[in-house]
Amino acid sequence: MTVIDARAILVSGGRRFVSAPVSAKFGMVVIAMYVLAALLAPHLTPYGEAEIVGTQFEPWSPKFWLGTDNLGRDMLTRLAFGARNTIGIALLTTCLAFSIGAFAGLAAATFAGWLDQILARLVDVLMSIPQLIFALLLLSIFGTSVSALVVVIALLDSTRVFRLSRAVAINVAVLDYVEAARLRGEGATWIMTREILPNIAPTLVAEFGLRFCFVFLLISALSFLGLGIQPPTADWGSMVRDTATLISYGDITPLLPAGAIALLAVAVNLVVDWFLHSASGLHDD
């Protein structure tokens, strides 16, 4: 990429940001803040991720701005590192789920026939089992390492991606220009990547944002139940569990990681809604 191309992309991105509604701007600013917190966590925090720096459940003070948790670890530090771990693992899992689900959906729509039937029936079977219960079962069998967590959730979530990508790809696969490509003798890979994928990309991008939210919330729920990201690694779901007892004493500390989870989910949804509206070609009067 040349300097001119990079400058053009920045200018185009700046114009889109300026023209975006207030809700989308708010969502993008929040996401940017989360990303910066995740990338700069070691430089923004006064203590180490798992460092015990005080007694348990110390109140908010100039030394510990957000108090300490059940082991005496600084809550502000844990929140910053939790952004890195929770968001990073959720993003990796979502990318893997999309790689599997979108490719399988495109293949099913392009080849149709027996391949479509086999993949569709397999996905129906997997989706008939509640995702959280299925994830708990698989993680109790294969362990709770980060790699097992990513693979298990990605495989389960790829079923949702498969159904969407197959549905939108089937509608495109029967259009005239796709039939013309087949008559020209183009291969299946060309048709999937050059004819079908570009025309369903906006839908998939929007679904990526929504899937990220679901994966992010699922990982947090699993961590809250003890089968997600394991200690001493900071994670917002486990932080809620570790400090939940403070609610009985009127302390809002457990609401901090819970609020961080909710705020990110809201921000991503606001940006996705704006992107879908923009990609659809509709404009407000």
Side-chain angles (χ1 to χ4, degrees):
M1 181 183 296
T2 64
V3 176
I4 296 178
D5 292 337
R7 186 179 301 171
I9 292 174
L10 289 175
V11 171
S12 176
R15 288 175 179 172
R16 289 178 66 87
F17 178 80
V18 171
S19 63
V22 175
S23 59
K25 290 178 182 177
F26 172 78
M28 286 186 277
V29 169
V30 170
I31 292 172
M33 292 173 60
Y34 274 75
V35 171
L36 287 176
L39 295 176
L40 303 177
H43 306 287
L44 296 176
T45 54
Y47 307 104
E49 178 180 3
E51 184 180 356
I52 298 176
V53 295
T55 58
Q56 64 176 355
F57 298 138
E58 289 200 28
W60 297 13
S61 66
K63 183 179 180 181
F64 306 115
W65 287 6
L66 300 179
T68 60
D69 64 4
N70 60 322
L71 296 179
R73 296 169 296 191
D74 181 54
M75 281 293 295
L76 178 60
T77 300
R78 301 280 290 175
L79 278 173
F81 277 96
R84 163 176 287 194
N85 299 325
T86 309
I87 296 175
I89 293 175
L91 183 61
L92 175 62
T93 304
T94 308
C95 290
L96 180 59
F98 255 76
S99 299
I100 299 171
F103 175 78
L106 284 170
T110 303
F111 293 101
W114 62 268
L115 179 62
D116 182 25
Q117 291 299 317
I118 291 176
L119 291 176
R121 299 295 78 78
L122 177 61
V123 167
D124 288 342
V125 171
L126 292 176
M127 292 187 67
S128 66
I129 306 173
Q131 189 177 24
L132 180 59
I133 296 176
F134 203 4
L136 289 171
L137 174 63
L138 293 177
L139 289 173
S140 63
I141 296 174
F142 297 108
T144 55
S145 64
V146 172
S147 58
L149 181 68
V150 169
V151 171
V152 166
I153 297 179
L155 288 175
L156 295 180
D157 214 59
S158 64
T159 57
R160 276 75 180 171
V161 181
F162 169 83
R163 293 194 70 172
L164 176 72
S165 59
R166 173 181 176 271
V168 294
I170 283 177
N171 293 331
V172 175
V174 296
L175 296 179
D176 292 341
Y177 61 86
V178 178
E179 293 297 331
R182 288 195 175 99
L183 293 175
R184 289 199 311 266
E186 304 291 357
T189 302
W190 172 279
I191 293 174
M192 285 191 293
T193 58
R194 299 295 183 90
E195 303 290 348
I196 299 179
L197 183 58
N199 291 281
I200 66 173
T203 303
L204 293 182
V205 171
E207 178 66 11
F208 183 90
L210 296 177
R211 281 295 110 201
F212 171 80
C213 286
F214 284 113
V215 169
F216 173 73
L217 294 172
L218 179 59
I219 291 176
S220 298
L222 290 172
S223 297
F224 180 82
L225 296 173
L227 287 175
I229 301 174
Q230 296 299 301
T233 304
D235 170 75
W236 290 336
S238 60
M239 289 175 67
V240 175
R241 180 193 65 218
D242 293 340
T243 58
T245 186
L246 293 177
I247 289 291
S248 303
Y249 301 97
D251 193 324
I252 65 169
T253 300
L255 299 181
L256 297 177
I261 295 170
L263 182 60
L264 180 60
V266 170
V268 172
N269 276 277
L270 289 175
V271 175
V272 168
D273 286 343
W274 166 72
F275 178 81
L276 272 177
H277 184 79
S278 177
S280 66
L282 299 176
H283 300 284
D284 296 328
D285 294 331

